[in-house]
């Protein structure tokens, strides 16, 4: 007869349902949380690091986003309102009450008719004067007009272009827009203020004289310093009284009203005369909601920071959960004691989960504090002095409160698995001191769900990628179905990763069968990884997800870089600068060209400037334009590159299709000496085609059409040409397709009736055009050109080749992935050593050296990082492969992303990263000679 188990009716029971059990549970949770300081610091740090990043990002975004008050201070200073011209003096414009630059035009209004047909008699620009700002000031109201432009001053070596501002910008009513730093204020037209950066650039001091060269020529005295708070502090500027700097009245003036507010009805009347108003009272209390999108960028920035923070919390949450499991396992005896004195499962669950809340609170508070400090420091490092972009340090208390709550929830969520495990403690075994790995579910359905989910995710990704390509190839796209299907490309790899995590124990088991052949340390390491999935699988998942994200970023960046390089169109050979000298209407001017040549040779003598003839391609709609014909052109339906480049068939005044000069000039443009055939053709007066698209049967065909017949987006011209002729030509091949169509000598062009003008400047700039040299060229031109200074801007297009941003991005991404992976692996090895204390004692008891323990840790780091990295790289390549699978020719006009991942970066992620982490673990693990506690029989 079996004996019935005796029930101890005298044992008290602690039930967490009662509100009175919460307090003892919290007290016990606090004591358990800090009973092991090392693990408490680890868990709090894991929670606090992403919280610090979130808090720092929130502070930086808030400090870089203008509030309404900040914007009004920078734009108005202390004034009540500001008037500014915004078009012709015609009725029909209505501004937004908050953002004056957001406006609408009433249909059939005089202003709408003017914009629709500005060349008609009833909409003649000369019949509608620009608004009279100074005459629009309300009667009896004080006003401060301010006008801005540019001026040229004498520098230590070359002339320097500076901003020029006329008006009493030092007045107290404008404090906040402009800030006077030191010195006096101008009392006459011969006194000015400058920015501190101007003093440094010109190497002068307050009290010294400054030579103005343009728009007026005279010496002025610097009486103090002042700066515009709406631009970076490095801006060069000079400030004088109204009319003292010779600036033209070009309609860009602003009139500030210090103490006269403007109401919304008055603003509407100003709008009818082409004047926009920023009124402090209206902006703060608008008559209706604003339609402006100003400030929407901060929401997007918060979204990106939040997405990165949630991902980081997920990553460290995995490791924190593993740390809680290890800590809970070490506290098994304590949990058994609680259960033996009456604590039920719910009470144990509350105690352990509350310890997660405690550590989460510590991590969130410390992380938020560090994040705030880091955000403030980052703000001051990035602050350029522009209060429009960096208005000042602001603490977003609501965002910080959300961050704190996230930290609390992260700590609580990380402790749930450990709490569930602790609530099921075996009291008798725990009190006897028995330890064993956490039980793992062996249900067949759960074991099979992982591989099935991984296969489903991979198939979904490929199928949705093919669907996206098919939908994008449609001639007409009127729906957003491609975006819906494209979501499957993002969701598929996530499902695959979840399946890999669910099947991770089997995956590690397969690796263990291979790793056992590499000796005792490897055998212990892989068996420990398989026997303790609750500790090792989170690390594998963390490494896999980090490498997955890094691979996605690198593969798409590499493919976009490849596509950009393939679509890039070289103007000339690398290091060659070109510019066309024309007046404001795009018409060549011989005197203007001669003056430009003298200035460029004076400032940049080493460029070896050449003057070439160029076809005239910037003309009115009815004027004829002669261009070579792309006889090999396919039927392009939209803009593109390569065979569909718009430059091949459309006029371009910056890269004319017909150029004239000598054989040496052609050699400079193409970067090498022309071939013998090309030189012979030029001597005969024939043409040299640098692009083979223009040559057929040894001739180039030229069509003369009205300028209006040339279509946009690279399509063929419309209508029949006015005139057609052919010119014998040879093809000069270059390494890259250049924007040089046909080259002749001036005599050959004249013989064939091709009209050109010598206004195309070509120079050699092997080191590019530096900012200082560009400033010097612009300043010298403005000072020497006189009234023609505004008719042409001395800017060279220096061919530098495509800019490849991939390498810097790859370096940053791999570095971040390495830091996260090294941190995750270090935490994993530390947990393994703490959890495997009994194994270390056994190894030490049988005489194993510390080197064995170090090799065990090294092998475990190698296995976890290698498996995680290989799976992460394989899944990370999947989205790009899905979006580049094509089983039919690409339709014309459709640009698909090529499948061009960078193999070097993938090898570094898949193999180099595990190797680096393994070396780091080998260098720091298992250095102690003996274990701290030694158990002997």
């Amino acid at each position: 007869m079996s004996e019935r188990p005796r029930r101890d009716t005298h044992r008290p029971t602690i039930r967490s349902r009662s509100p009175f059990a919460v307090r003892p549970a919290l007290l016990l949770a606090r004591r358990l949380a800090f009973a092991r300081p090392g693990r408490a610091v680890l868990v709090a740090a894991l929670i606090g690091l992403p919280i610090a990043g979130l808090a720092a990002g929130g502070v930086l975004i808030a400090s870089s986003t203008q509030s309404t008050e900040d914007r009004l201070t920078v734009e108005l200073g202390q004034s009540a309102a500001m008037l500014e011209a915004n078009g012709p003096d015609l009725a029909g414009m209505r501004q937004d009450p908050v953002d004056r630059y957001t406006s609408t035009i009433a249909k059939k209004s005089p202003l709408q008719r003017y914009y629709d047909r500005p060349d008609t008699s009833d909409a003649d620009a000369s019949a509608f004067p620009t608004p009279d700002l100074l005459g629009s000031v309300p009667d009896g109201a004080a006003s401060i007009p301010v006008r801005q432009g540019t001026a040229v001053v004498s520098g230590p070596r070359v002339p320097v272009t500076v901003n020029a501002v006329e008006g009493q910008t030092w007045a107290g009513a404008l404090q906040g827009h402009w800030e006077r730093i030191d010195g006096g204020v101008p009392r006459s037209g011969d006194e000015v203020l400058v920015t501190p950066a101007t003093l440094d650039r010109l190497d002068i001091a307050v009290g010294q004289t400054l030579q103005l060269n343009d728009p007026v020529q005279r010496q002025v005295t610097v009486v103090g310093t002042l700066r515009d708070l709406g631009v970076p502090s490095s801006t060069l500027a000079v400030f004088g009284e109204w009319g003292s700097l010779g600036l033209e009245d070009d309609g860009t003036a602003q009139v500030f009203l210090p103490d006269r507010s403007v109401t919304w009805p008055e603003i509407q009347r100003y709008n009818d005369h082409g004047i926009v108003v920023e009124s402090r009272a209206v902006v703060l209390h608008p008559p209706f909601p604003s339609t402006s999108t100003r400030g929407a960028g901060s929401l997007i920035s918060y979204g990106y920071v939040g997405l990165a923070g949630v991902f980081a919390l997920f990553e460290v949450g995995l490791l924190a959960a593993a740390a809680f499991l290890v800590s809970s396992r070490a506290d098994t005896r304590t949990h058994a004691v609680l259960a033996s004195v009456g604590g039920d499962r719910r009470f144990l669950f509350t105690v352990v989960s509350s310890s997660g809340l405690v550590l989460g609170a510590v991590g969130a508070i410390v992380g938020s504090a560090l994040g705030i400090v880091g955000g403030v420091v980052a703000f001051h490092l990035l602050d350029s002095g522009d209060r429009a972009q960096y208005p000042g340090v602001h603490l977003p208390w609501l965002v910080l409160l959300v961050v704190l709550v996230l930290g609390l929830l992260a700590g609580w969520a990380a402790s749930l698995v450990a709490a569930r495990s602790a609530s099921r403690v075996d009291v008798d075994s725990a009190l006897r001191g028995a330890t064993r790995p956490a039980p793992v579910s062996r249900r067949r359905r759960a074991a099979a769900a992982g591989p099935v989910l991984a296969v489903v995710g991979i198939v979904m990704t490929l199928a949705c990628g093919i669907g996206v390509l098919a939908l994008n190839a449609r001639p007409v796209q009127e729906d957003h179905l491609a975006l819906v299907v494209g979501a499957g490309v993002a969701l598929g790899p996530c499902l695959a990763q979840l399946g890999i995590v669910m099947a991770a124990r089997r995956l590690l088991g397969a690796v263990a069968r291979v790793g056992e052949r590499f000796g005792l340390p490897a055998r212990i390491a892989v068996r420990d990884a398989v026997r303790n999935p609750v500790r090792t699988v989170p690390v594998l998942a963390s490494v896999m997800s980090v490498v997955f994200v890094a691979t996605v970023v690198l593969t798409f960046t590499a493919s976009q870089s490849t596509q950009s390089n393939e679509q890039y169109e070289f103007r000339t050979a690398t290091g060659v600068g070109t510019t066309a000298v024309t007046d404001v209407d795009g018409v060549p001017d011989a005197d203007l060209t001669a003056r430009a040549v003298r200035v460029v040779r004076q400032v940049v003598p080493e460029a070896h400037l050449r003057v070439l003839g160029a076809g005239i391609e910037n003309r009115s709609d009815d004027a004829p334009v002669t261009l070579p014909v792309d006889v090999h052109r396919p039927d392009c339906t939209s803009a593109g590159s390569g065979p569909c480049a718009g430059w091949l068939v459309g006029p371009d005044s910056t890269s004319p299709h017909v150029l004239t000069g000598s054989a040496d000039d052609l050699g400079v443009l193409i970067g090498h000496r022309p071939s013998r055939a090309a030189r012979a053709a030029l001597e005969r007066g024939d043409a040299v085609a640098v692009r083979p698209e223009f040559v057929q049967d040894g001739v180039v065909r030229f069509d003369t059409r009205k300028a209006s017949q040339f279509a946009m987006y690279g399509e063929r011209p419309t209508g029949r040409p006015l005139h057609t002729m052919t010119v014998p030509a040879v093809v000069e091949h270059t390494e890259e397709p250049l924007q040089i169509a046909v080259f002749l000598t001036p005599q050959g062009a004249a013989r064939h009736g091709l009209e050109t003008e010598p206004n195309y400047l070509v120079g050699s700039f092997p080191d590019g055009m530096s900012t200082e040299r560009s400033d010097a060229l612009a300043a010298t031109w403005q000072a020497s050109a006189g009234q023609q200074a505004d008719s042409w801007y001395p800017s060279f297009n220096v061919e530098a080749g495509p800019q490849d941003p991939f390498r810097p991005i790859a370096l940053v991404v791999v570095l971040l992935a390495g830091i996260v992976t090294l941190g995750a692996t270090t935490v994993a090895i530390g947990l393994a050593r703490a959890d495997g204390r009994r194994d270390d004692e056994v190894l030490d008891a049988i005489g194993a050296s510390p080197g064995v323990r170090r090799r065990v840790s090294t092998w475990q780091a190698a296995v976890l990082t290698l498996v995680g990295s290989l799976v992460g790289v394989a899944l990370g390549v999947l989205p790009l492969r899905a979006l580049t699978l094509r089983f039919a020719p690409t339709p014309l006009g459709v640009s698909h992303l090529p499948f061009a991942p960078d193999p070097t970066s993938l090898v570094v992620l898949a193999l180099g990263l595990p190797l680096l982490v393994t070396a780091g673990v080998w260098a720091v693990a298992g250095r102690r000679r003996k274990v701290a506690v030694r158990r002997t029989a």
Side-chain angles (χ1 to χ4, degrees):
M1 184 174 179
S2 61
E3 183 180 357
R4 285 181 72 180
R6 185 175 62 86
R7 180 178 179 182
D8 190 356
T9 58
H10 301 287
R11 177 185 298 177
T13 301
I14 304 176
R15 299 185 181 275
S16 60
R17 290 182 182 177
S18 171
F20 299 103
V22 174
R23 186 171 180 273
L26 289 175
L27 292 175
L28 288 172
R30 187 188 64 182
R31 292 181 180 180
L32 287 176
F34 297 105
R36 301 176 185 272
R39 295 179 197 176
V41 170
L42 173 63
V43 173
L46 289 173
I47 301 299
L49 286 176
I51 292 300
L54 280 172
V59 171
L60 189 58
I61 293 173
S63 302
S64 304
T65 303
Q66 280 188 315
S67 64
T68 302
E69 290 77 9
D70 292 332
R71 179 169 65 87
L72 289 174
T73 300
V74 171
E75 296 184 358
L76 295 179
Q78 306 301 317
S79 301
M82 182 263 291
L83 312 180
E84 185 177 16
N86 191 42
D89 189 356
L90 290 172
M93 183 264 292
R94 282 293 178 269
Q95 72 172 77
D96 184 89
V98 175
D99 185 0
R100 67 184 186 278
Y101 293 127
T102 299
S103 61
T104 59
I105 300 177
K107 294 182 179 180
K108 299 182 181 181
S109 64
L111 184 61
Q112 183 65 55
R113 291 196 300 270
Y114 169 77
Y115 284 134
D116 290 341
R117 303 184 64 189
D119 54 344
T120 59
S121 58
D122 64 335
D124 187 5
S126 62
F128 302 102
T130 57
D132 182 9
L133 281 177
L134 294 179
S136 301
V137 176
D139 295 336
S143 64
I144 303 176
V146 176
R147 182 167 52 207
Q148 302 192 38
T150 59
V152 177
V153 300
S154 296
R157 294 181 299 274
V158 295
V160 178
T161 302
V162 299
N163 293 341
V165 185
E166 292 181 345
Q168 294 182 1
T169 53
W170 49 87
L174 301 184
Q175 183 70 21
H177 187 333
W178 287 277
E179 178 185 29
R180 187 164 68 90
I181 301 174
D182 59 12
V185 297
R187 302 297 181 184
S188 65
D190 293 332
E191 296 179 343
V192 296
L193 299 173
V194 298
T195 62
T198 306
L199 295 179
D200 297 336
R201 176 69 180 274
L202 303 182
D203 195 18
I204 60 175
V206 174
Q208 295 182 348
T209 59
L210 176 66
Q211 176 65 42
L212 296 176
N213 297 329
D214 186 81
V216 293
Q217 294 185 357
R218 71 166 186 267
Q219 285 189 342
V220 293
T221 302
V222 178
V223 296
T225 56
L226 178 143
R227 61 177 297 262
D228 187 347
L229 297 179
V231 297
S233 57
S234 59
T235 302
L236 307 181
V238 57
F239 306 88
E241 290 188 338
W242 180 263
S244 64
L245 301 180
L247 299 182
E248 296 182 0
D249 186 9
D250 54 359
T252 60
Q254 296 176 328
V255 177
F256 294 87
L257 306 180
D259 50 12
R260 173 62 162 81
S261 182
V262 181
T263 63
W264 178 245
E266 291 176 322
I267 291 178
Q268 292 177 310
R269 290 194 290 271
Y270 276 118
N271 290 167
D272 289 336
H273 293 281
I275 298 176
V276 293
V277 182
E278 182 159 50
S279 172
R280 187 183 301 272
V282 173
V283 171
L284 294 177
H285 304 286
F288 53 86
S290 172
T291 60
S292 174
T293 58
R294 179 182 292 189
S298 61
L299 297 178
I300 298 176
S301 300
Y302 277 125
Y304 282 125
V305 172
L307 183 63
V310 170
F311 175 75
L313 278 175
F314 170 74
E315 292 296 319
V316 301
L318 293 173
L319 300 177
F324 268 114
L325 280 169
V326 172
S327 180
S328 178
R329 190 178 302 174
D331 294 332
T332 301
R333 189 178 184 87
T334 302
H335 300 153
V337 171
L338 286 175
S340 67
V341 298
D344 62 354
R345 293 178 56 182
R346 186 174 289 105
F347 182 77
L348 292 176
F349 185 91
T350 304
V351 170
V352 178
S353 61
S354 297
S355 66
L357 279 176
V358 172
L359 294 179
V362 173
I365 294 173
V366 176
S368 297
L370 293 177
I372 292 173
V373 174
V376 173
V377 172
F379 171 82
H380 288 294
L381 291 176
L382 296 174
D383 185 12
S384 63
D386 182 0
R387 291 295 166 259
Q389 185 176 3
Y390 299 100
V393 175
H394 297 297
L395 299 183
W397 296 112
L398 180 60
V399 173
L400 295 176
L401 180 61
V402 173
V403 168
L404 279 172
V405 173
L406 281 177
L408 286 171
L409 293 178
W412 177 72
S415 65
L416 291 182
V417 177
R420 182 174 180 271
S421 175
S423 66
R424 299 183 176 184
V425 63
D426 186 343
V427 178
D428 295 333
S429 299
L431 292 177
R432 289 199 309 266
T435 58
R436 64 185 64 183
V440 179
S441 174
R442 298 181 181 275
R443 290 180 295 179
R444 294 183 178 181
R445 290 183 180 180
V452 170
L453 196 58
V455 172
V456 169
I458 294 173
V459 173
M460 176 189 292
T461 304
L462 296 176
C464 291
I466 296 173
V468 170
L469 293 176
L471 293 172
N472 285 339
R474 294 176 299 169
V476 179
Q477 302 180 36
E478 297 180 353
D479 54 53
H480 301 286
L481 187 58
L483 297 177
V484 177
V485 178
V489 180
L491 183 61
C494 297
L495 293 178
Q497 288 185 78
L498 181 59
I500 294 296
V501 171
M502 295 175 64
R505 188 168 183 271
R506 283 191 170 186
L507 184 61
L508 290 175
V511 174
R513 287 191 289 271
V514 178
E516 288 178 350
R517 304 175 183 177
F518 293 94
L520 178 64
R523 188 179 304 119
I524 296 175
V526 294
R527 287 184 178 180
D528 178 74
V530 175
R531 291 172 60 244
N532 295 277
V534 293
R535 171 166 38 84
T536 56
V537 169
V539 179
L540 188 147
S542 177
V543 173
M544 177 182 64
S545 59
V546 169
V547 174
F548 167 79
V549 173
T551 303
V552 170
V553 173
L554 291 179
T555 53
F556 274 93
T557 304
S559 296
Q560 289 172 351
S561 178
T562 301
Q563 184 184 48
S564 177
N565 292 342
E566 292 175 352
Q567 295 179 349
Y568 185 83
E569 296 185 45
F570 286 80
R571 290 178 174 267
T572 60
T574 303
V576 177
T578 59
T579 183
V581 183
T582 58
D583 60 17
V584 291
D585 296 324
V587 178
D589 185 299
D591 293 338
L592 190 67
T593 302
R595 182 176 285 108
V597 170
R598 289 196 298 270
V599 170
V600 173
R601 285 177 174 169
Q602 173 188 348
V603 179
V604 198
E606 67 275 12
H608 304 293
L609 191 67
R610 300 168 181 262
V611 183
L612 276 62
I616 303 174
E617 301 182 8
N618 185 16
R619 287 183 167 174
S620 60
D621 290 346
D622 295 330
V625 175
T626 301
L627 290 184
V629 178
D630 180 5
V631 294
H632 301 292
R633 188 170 185 77
D635 185 15
C636 297
T637 58
S638 64
S641 63
C644 288
W647 174 83
L648 293 173
V649 293
D652 187 346
S653 59
T654 60
S655 293
H657 292 72
V658 179
L659 296 175
T660 60
S662 64
D664 292 339
D665 295 335
L666 176 61
V668 172
L669 288 172
I670 63 179
H672 62 81
R673 179 178 172 81
S675 64
R676 183 178 301 176
R679 296 197 303 273
L682 292 177
E683 292 176 359
R684 295 193 303 267
D686 295 340
V688 176
V690 182
R691 295 292 289 264
E693 292 92 339
F694 297 106
V695 178
Q696 188 175 37
D697 299 329
V699 297
V700 175
R701 172 184 156 193
F702 287 88
D703 282 353
T704 301
R705 302 174 182 271
K706 291 183 178 180
S708 59
Q709 292 181 338
F710 290 98
M712 302 294 290
Y713 308 115
E715 299 164 350
R716 284 184 179 277
T718 60
R720 300 184 62 180
L722 302 175
H723 177 66
T724 297
M725 66 175 178
T726 58
V727 176
V730 299
V731 177
E732 177 69 16
H733 297 282
T734 57
E735 294 183 2
E736 300 287 348
L738 306 179
Q739 285 189 356
I740 305 172
V742 179
F743 192 92
L744 304 93
T745 61
Q747 298 79 12
R751 191 181 76 183
H752 294 291
L754 295 173
E755 182 184 1
T756 60
E757 288 287 344
N759 70 319
Y760 198 67
L761 308 187
V762 178
S764 299
F765 300 87
D767 300 327
M769 178 70 79
S770 65
T771 303
E772 183 177 357
R773 184 59 57 86
S774 297
D775 292 344
L777 182 60
T780 304
W781 170 257
Q782 184 175 349
S784 62
Q787 295 181 351
Q788 288 184 315
D790 295 334
S791 59
W792 177 69
Y793 187 77
S795 174
F796 278 86
N797 292 312
V798 181
E799 182 57 63
Q803 301 297 318
D804 187 6
F806 174 72
R807 295 302 168 190
I809 293 176
L811 180 62
V812 172
V813 170
V814 172
L815 181 62
L816 291 176
I819 292 174
V820 175
T821 304
L822 182 60
T825 310
T826 302
V827 172
I829 298 306
L831 295 177
R833 292 303 90 215
D835 197 35
R837 193 68 171 176
R838 181 66 59 87
D839 296 336
D840 288 345
E841 294 169 359
V842 172
L843 289 174
D844 190 63
I846 63 177
S849 66
V852 174
R853 296 198 301 272
R854 182 166 61 175
R855 287 192 291 272
V856 170
S857 300
T858 303
W859 271 106
Q860 191 167 99
V863 169
L864 294 177
T865 54
L866 181 62
V867 174
S869 297
L870 290 175
V871 175
V873 168
L875 295 180
V877 176
L878 192 61
L880 179 64
R881 178 71 278 184
L883 292 174
T884 54
L885 283 173
R886 292 188 290 274
F887 304 100
T890 302
L892 291 174
V894 177
S895 179
H896 283 306
L897 195 67
F899 182 71
D902 181 62
T904 303
S905 60
L906 297 185
V907 170
V908 170
L909 284 175
L911 300 178
L913 195 60
L915 184 62
L916 177 65
V917 172
T918 302
V921 172
W922 181 87
V924 300
R927 287 295 184 181
R928 286 184 300 176
R929 187 65 186 171
K930 296 291 183 180
V931 293
V933 178
R934 188 179 181 90
R935 296 178 184 267
T936 57

